[in-house]
Amino acid sequence: MSETTNKGDKTLSVPAKKRISLKRTVESGLVRQNFSHGRSKSVLVEKKKRRVIGPAGQTEPDREAAPVPEMASAAAVPGHETDVQTAAPRSGVVLRTLTEEEKDARAQALAEARVREADERRHADDEAKRRRERQERERRERELAEARAEEEEARLRAEDEARLKSEQEAKRRLESEAGQPSVAAEVSSRELEALDEERTRKKAEAKPPRPPRGGERRRGRLTIANALNEDERARSLASIRRQRERMRKQVHAFDPQQKIVREVVVPEAISIQELANRMAVRAVDVIKLLMNQGQMLKITDVIDADTAQLVAEEIGHQVRRVAESDVEEGIFGVEDEAGDLKPRPPVVTVMGHVDHGKTSLLDAIRKTKVVAGEAGGITQHIGAYQVTTEKGDKITFIDTPGHEAFTAMRARGAKVTDIVILVVAADDGVMPQTVEAINHAKAAHVPLIVAINKIDKRGADPKRVRTDLLQHEIVVESMGGDVLEVEVSALKGTNLDKLLDAVLLQAELLELKANPQRAASGTVIEAKLDRGRGPVATVLVQRGTLKVGDIFLAGAEWGKVRALIDDRGETVEEAGPSVPVEILGLNAAPGAGDQFVVLETEVRAREIAEYRHRQRREKQSARAAGVRGSLEQMMTQLNVSGLKEIPLVVKADVQGSAEAIVGALDKLATEEVAARVIHAGVGGITESDVTLAAASEAPIIGFNVRANKQAREAAERDGVEIRYYNVIYDLVDDVKAAMSGLLAPALRETFLGNAEILEVFNISKVGKIAGCRVADGKVERGARVRLIRDDVVIHEGKLGTLKRFKDEVKDVQAGQECGMGFENYQDIRAGDVIECFRVEEVQRTL
């Protein structure tokens, strides 16, 4: 509504109604769209226009919704900050202001565009770098191939020159013998030039290697930037790998007709796989060759040396036969040079009878109390210790048990020693184990030092000890001999310094030396299984230096030194000659007395260990086969002899104790009863030991070991007896008592009396009755009797009837008459003598 301009007229009026309408901003139409194979489709297309309002509220002519070119270009250029409103006056159009969301979206799009451009540039740089590296690598390969070709050409030329030179020498010699002028030099030079031309021609005619398909190509992933790049697409890695393999084969090409002849080492037995590996052929080819010879074998089968030699010679190789024991050759190395030897401490073994004070003497020297830790106060283990004297000299002592069961331990100690200290108690004198120790020392050819111990004890008589030693060819210095003797007291510590001085004097005379700068070797003194540390071996290093990390072989076991522990329980890094140490790192406990040696590689140590294990198994199998064969062949004889056995399973703490127990039990065997040790091992009693004992119906003897929980439960379930001991005396006594229980009781006769037959009476329904007079002793009813005629025993039986007058009596004394009847025997005559006796069973003992 509007107001009129006429001032005089106060009437309000409304102008004529004006029709308001909107122009169409969308135009539609149909468009036919054609596809392949003659197909088509009608598509509805709409064309949308933008309606713009002018500054005076008038509508301008409709324009298409497409953006203005200038504005579009301004918005597309990164970093362009021209506002939309500033551009509006150019076209006379006022555009709306962009919202914050639209501005953020546009900024994000610009940032993503910049990131894409940076990625594309980086990928392009990476591709260029890889292309340069590939070109450089191919260039190096070409240079290497050319260098190899030149070396091959030089080698061939040298061979040709050598061959022509030899031919030239031969021709010159023939011409000189024939007296003709020499033209060999000219001929040889012409031939050499001809060979060079021929080689050059062949090289030129050789077909060059085919270039890679597609020329120079690029590796990498396929991206939009790579696809739009003018360079070609990248080759696959498999294609590049195949090309390099072809180039390598061309460079290293060889004549297929040329066969490589190898020297094949063939032991006494070898598997087909190992033989094929040594000949560098396929195992299936070896199997085919054996099949042609009529042998159907697998790849894991083992063949003998003769068959392996035939196969190797058939393929064309040379064969060198070796024995299986050759793997042990050279493991102890060569002998040391005199200049490499350096002085080493002496190794002294303390030997003597049980309870003569060997360990107490050693404790007094070391100022320790080892004897307090031994069960029963006797040494049952072999121990090794090193002592430093007040002057700084070092002495290695080896303490051995004195019990008779530990003979092997004493022999082992005498074997590795330099000097033997023979301990003899002054109050006891020379005893059986003392004599045995003397014999061991003589067998080992080591000097003796006699230590007369317990001189402070009442009743001690050192002079008697010296006199008793004369019976065993031991003459001490005080009696004009060459054997040193020292009177000592382990309890009071008397003359211990004199004993050490005597040892050092004897060691100085021996001039003991060893080479510490070589691989270590020595002897295993003792071995055991420790629950926390595994197999532990006490060794005495005799040559070289043993270090942590060394690969070593001990008997049939091997390992790597994880730790070295000295006699005081401290960890050390190395052990030189004459040093006793404990080794940790073995795969199993070796045998006491085995030799150990350090090897260069683990492979050789394992190979020698497997060979020794195999030898041990073969010996055990042969021994078992012999036992089975003898049992099968002599079953009747064994049944007649009535041999009874007590099966036993023995487990000990150390190898030496198990060995001593088995030896002591073997000595208890007789012709009637024996103790058969089914298994003797080192370590605690396990469930497998209980299973073995249950199958063999044998008790388990544990010496200084205990059974674990599973083993105890299994023993209770299977009814297996486990007996524990810590003193070998008790063990041997109990086994002896058990063996004695299996012995048949002895029959002992007790003479009762004699009777002479005066008359024989024949009674009906009873038989013959002898009327007798008892001449000596008495006769008893029910006793056993012998009928003696002419001093010959013609019958032995039982007295059935004994009457005096008409009454049955129990016995008849000497001088009285009686009637006697025999059970089941009637041939009696007057004048025969009847001897009456009683038979008693007496339990036998070993």
Side-chain angles (χ1 to χ4, degrees):
M1 183 173 54
S2 63
E3 185 179 357
T4 61
T5 57
N6 190 0
K7 297 180 179 180
D9 192 359
K10 302 294 184 179
T11 305
L12 294 175
S13 63
V14 179
K17 207 181 251 191
K18 201 169 187 180
R19 191 180 185 87
I20 299 175
S21 63
L22 295 175
K23 292 184 179 180
R24 297 179 59 185
T25 59
V26 178
E27 295 180 0
S28 63
L30 291 175
V31 177
R32 180 168 294 279
Q33 185 176 6
N34 295 324
F35 299 97
S36 61
H37 303 287
R39 295 180 294 114
S40 63
K41 179 181 179 182
S42 296
V43 181
L44 178 62
V45 179
E46 294 181 351
K47 184 177 182 182
K48 187 175 182 180
K49 297 182 180 180
R50 185 170 54 190
R51 185 168 175 267
V52 182
I53 305 300
Q58 299 179 356
T59 304
E60 291 189 359
D62 294 336
R63 300 184 180 182
E64 294 183 1
V68 180
E70 290 82 4
M71 294 175 62
S73 61
V77 176
H80 200 286
E81 299 179 355
T82 305
D83 199 346
V84 179
Q85 292 181 357
T86 60
R90 297 181 183 177
S91 58
V93 178
V94 178
L95 299 180
R96 66 181 179 85
T97 305
L98 295 176
T99 63
E100 293 297 331
E101 290 79 3
E102 291 174 341
K103 289 181 180 180
D104 294 340
R106 181 170 295 181
Q108 184 177 0
L110 292 176
E112 292 177 354
R114 293 191 191 99
V115 172
R116 284 195 299 272
E117 289 180 359
D119 290 342
E120 291 175 0
R121 285 195 298 271
R122 186 170 61 256
H123 286 309
D125 294 341
D126 293 343
E127 291 297 329
K129 183 178 178 180
R130 284 195 291 269
R131 190 183 305 112
R132 289 193 299 270
E133 291 177 354
R134 185 174 67 254
Q135 292 174 356
E136 181 65 21
R137 186 167 56 254
E138 292 177 353
R139 183 184 62 79
R140 288 196 300 267
E141 291 178 355
R142 286 195 301 272
E143 291 178 355
L144 182 60
E146 290 175 358
R148 290 174 178 170
E150 291 177 358
E151 291 177 359
E152 183 67 18
E153 184 176 358
R155 186 182 64 79
L156 294 175
R157 181 174 179 83
E159 292 178 356
D160 294 339
E161 289 179 355
R163 181 175 56 81
L164 293 176
K165 186 175 181 180
S166 61
E167 294 178 357
Q168 176 183 357
E169 293 293 336
K171 290 180 181 179
R172 185 182 294 108
R173 188 162 51 256
L174 292 175
E175 289 173 355
S176 61
E177 292 176 357
Q180 298 179 359
S182 175
V183 294
E186 298 179 359
V187 174
S188 62
S189 60
R190 288 198 299 271
E191 289 182 355
L192 188 60
E193 292 176 357
L195 288 174
D196 290 341
E197 292 177 358
E198 180 68 18
R199 194 179 297 108
T200 304
R201 183 180 61 78
K202 288 183 179 181
K203 185 176 181 181
E205 293 178 356
K207 183 178 179 180
R210 185 175 62 180
R213 291 180 296 176
E216 185 72 23
R217 298 196 176 185
R218 181 176 63 253
R219 290 186 298 170
R221 62 180 181 178
L222 182 62
T223 61
I224 295 176
N226 293 339
L228 296 178
N229 196 2
E230 294 180 357
D231 294 339
E232 297 182 359
R233 292 178 57 188
R235 293 179 59 191
S236 65
L237 293 176
S239 175
I240 296 174
R241 198 176 294 114
R242 290 193 297 270
Q243 179 188 0
R244 291 177 180 173
E245 184 67 20
R246 287 194 297 270
M247 294 178 63
R248 188 183 65 80
K249 289 183 179 181
Q250 290 175 2
V251 172
H252 299 285
F254 63 93
D255 186 6
Q257 302 297 328
Q258 183 180 1
K259 181 175 290 187
I260 301 176
V261 178
R262 294 180 172 84
E263 184 183 33
V264 181
V265 178
V266 177
E268 297 174 358
I270 187 172
S271 65
I272 294 178
Q273 179 67 67
E274 181 63 22
L275 180 62
N277 293 339
R278 295 187 181 187
M279 295 189 298
V281 299
R282 298 185 306 167
V284 65
D285 296 336
V286 179
I287 295 175
K288 288 180 181 178
L289 186 59
L290 292 172
M291 289 174 61
N292 294 334
Q293 298 177 359
Q295 300 185 43
M296 304 296 293
L297 299 174
K298 303 187 297 296
I299 192 172
T300 56
D301 288 340
V302 177
I303 57 178
D304 56 5
D306 295 333
T307 305
Q309 181 176 359
L310 292 175
V311 171
E313 291 177 350
E314 182 71 20
I315 294 177
H317 297 294
Q318 297 178 358
V319 176
R320 180 165 63 91
R321 298 277 292 269
V322 296
E324 192 176 12
S325 59
D326 291 345
V327 296
E328 295 185 338
E329 288 186 356
I331 61 174
F332 289 99
V334 297
E335 292 296 328
D336 297 318
E337 298 290 339
D340 299 333
L341 299 178
K342 296 182 180 180
R344 64 172 177 85
V347 180
V348 181
T349 299
V350 183
M351 305 176 73
H353 191 71
V354 62
D355 201 25
H356 274 203
K358 298 180 297 300
T359 307
S360 300
L361 180 63
L362 193 55
D363 285 346
I365 295 174
R366 297 179 64 230
K367 297 179 176 60
T368 57
K369 294 183 179 180
V370 176
V371 69
E374 291 287 353
I378 63 170
T379 301
Q380 301 178 114
H381 306 86
I382 189 168
Y385 316 96
Q386 193 168 59
V387 175
T388 303
T389 63
E390 295 179 356
K391 299 178 181 179
D393 298 318
K394 292 185 177 181
I395 303 174
T396 300
F397 285 97
I398 296 178
D399 186 17
T400 59
H403 189 268
E404 61 179 352
F406 297 95
T407 302
M409 284 193 182
R410 286 191 295 276
R412 193 178 307 127
K415 182 179 178 182
V416 300
T417 190
D418 301 317
I419 303 169
V420 170
I421 294 180
L422 184 65
V423 179
V424 186
D427 62 334
D428 206 3
V430 177
M431 300 298 287
Q433 272 64 59
T434 309
V435 178
E436 186 180 297
I438 293 173
N439 295 332
H440 288 317
K442 289 181 178 180
H445 302 288
V446 292
L448 268 174
I449 297 177
V450 178
I452 304 175
N453 195 17
K454 301 183 181 182
I455 59 173
D456 58 327
K457 196 172 182 180
R458 181 177 297 177
D461 188 3
K463 185 178 294 186
R464 182 168 68 92
V465 173
R466 297 184 178 93
T467 306
D468 292 344
L469 289 174
L470 292 175
Q471 301 176 8
H472 306 284
E473 300 176 359
I474 302 297
V475 184
V476 296
E477 280 189 339
S478 60
M479 302 185 71
D482 56 353
V483 177
L484 297 174
E485 96 272 11
V486 182
E487 297 180 3
V488 297
S489 173
L491 185 62
K492 303 293 184 180
T494 308
N495 294 336
L496 296 183
D497 53 348
K498 293 184 179 180
L499 180 62
L500 295 180
D501 290 341
V503 170
L504 294 176
L505 176 61
Q506 190 67 55
E508 186 178 352
L509 295 176
L510 294 175
E511 296 182 355
L512 302 174
K513 293 183 179 181
N515 180 16
Q517 306 297 328
R518 61 168 296 163
S521 62
T523 305
V524 177
I525 301 297
E526 194 57 271
K528 63 181 179 180
L529 276 176
D530 193 292
R531 185 166 186 175
R533 301 183 297 172
V536 179
T538 302
V539 302
L540 177 66
V541 181
Q542 294 174 309
R543 296 194 304 175
T545 301
L546 183 63
K547 302 177 182 178
V548 175
D550 286 345
I551 305 294
F552 70 100
L553 177 75
E557 311 300 337
W558 69 278
K560 185 176 182 180
V561 180
R562 290 194 289 110
L564 295 174
I565 302 173
D566 62 6
D567 58 320
R568 300 187 182 274
E570 298 178 358
T571 303
V572 295
E573 292 297 325
E574 61 181 24
S578 300
V579 176
V581 288
E582 284 187 344
I583 298 179
L584 276 66
L586 282 157
N587 64 333
D594 289 341
Q595 296 290 318
F596 86 91
V597 62
V598 172
L599 299 176
E600 61 276 3
T601 61
E602 181 179 328
V603 175
R604 190 177 185 196
R606 186 184 290 109
E607 184 181 7
I608 298 174
E610 290 176 355
Y611 164 71
R612 291 181 175 178
H613 272 294
R614 192 161 51 250
Q615 293 291 103
R616 183 182 298 174
R617 285 195 301 268
E618 290 176 357
K619 290 181 180 178
Q620 292 176 354
S621 300
R623 190 181 303 114
V627 171
R628 286 195 299 269
S630 62
L631 287 176
E632 293 170 359
Q633 297 170 5
M634 304 173 65
M635 186 61 68
T636 305
Q637 180 180 353
L638 289 177
N639 289 335
V640 171
S641 63
L643 178 64
K644 298 178 182 179
E645 291 183 338
I646 296 181
L648 296 172
V649 175
V650 177
K651 294 301 288 291
D653 55 343
V654 296
Q655 188 74 30
S657 297
E659 181 182 288
I661 292 170
V662 173
L665 296 181
D666 288 341
K667 292 181 180 179
L668 297 178
T670 63
E671 296 180 354
E672 299 180 34
V673 65
R676 179 167 57 93
V677 178
I678 300 172
H679 172 67
V682 178
I685 300 172
T686 61
E687 194 172 358
S688 60
D689 298 326
V690 176
T691 304
L692 176 61
S696 306
E697 297 181 356
I700 299 177
I701 294 178
F703 187 77
N704 287 332
V705 295
R706 289 295 182 269
N708 55 30
K709 181 180 179 182
Q710 295 80 3
R712 290 196 300 270
E713 293 175 353
E716 293 176 1
R717 183 178 63 251
D718 298 337
V720 176
E721 181 184 9
I722 301 178
R723 308 196 70 172
Y724 301 111
Y725 297 92
N726 56 6
V727 179
I728 198 169
Y729 293 119
D730 302 335
L731 188 153
V732 175
D733 291 342
D734 286 356
V735 174
K736 184 187 293 185
M739 294 173 61
S740 300
L742 295 180
L743 290 174
L747 299 178
R748 185 170 63 187
E749 293 184 1
T750 302
F751 177 77
L752 296 178
N754 287 332
E756 182 181 357
I757 300 177
L758 301 177
E759 188 69 33
V760 176
F761 303 96
N762 195 356
I763 301 175
S764 60
K765 297 183 180 181
V766 176
K768 292 183 179 181
I769 299 296
C772 306
R773 179 188 294 116
V774 179
D776 187 15
K778 66 178 181 177
V779 293
E780 294 180 355
R781 185 178 59 188
R784 298 189 64 84
V785 292
R786 292 189 182 96
L787 183 62
I788 301 174
R789 182 180 299 164
D790 298 331
D791 296 331
V792 176
V793 178
I794 61 174
H795 173 70
E796 182 175 340
K798 191 174 182 181
L799 187 60
T801 303
L802 180 61
K803 288 186 178 183
R804 180 162 173 76
F805 300 108
K806 293 183 178 181
D807 300 327
E808 288 281 347
V809 294
K810 183 178 180 181
D811 56 21
V812 177
Q813 300 296 327
Q816 298 178 355
E817 294 182 354
C818 61
M820 303 173 64
F822 296 96
E823 288 184 356
N824 302 323
Y825 190 75
Q826 301 293 325
D827 185 15
I828 55 178
R829 301 176 187 175
D832 293 345
V833 176
I834 298 175
E835 181 181 297
C836 185
F837 60 94
R838 184 186 301 118
V839 177
E840 298 177 353
E841 291 185 354
V842 180
Q843 184 63 41
R844 297 165 57 196
T845 58
L846 292 176

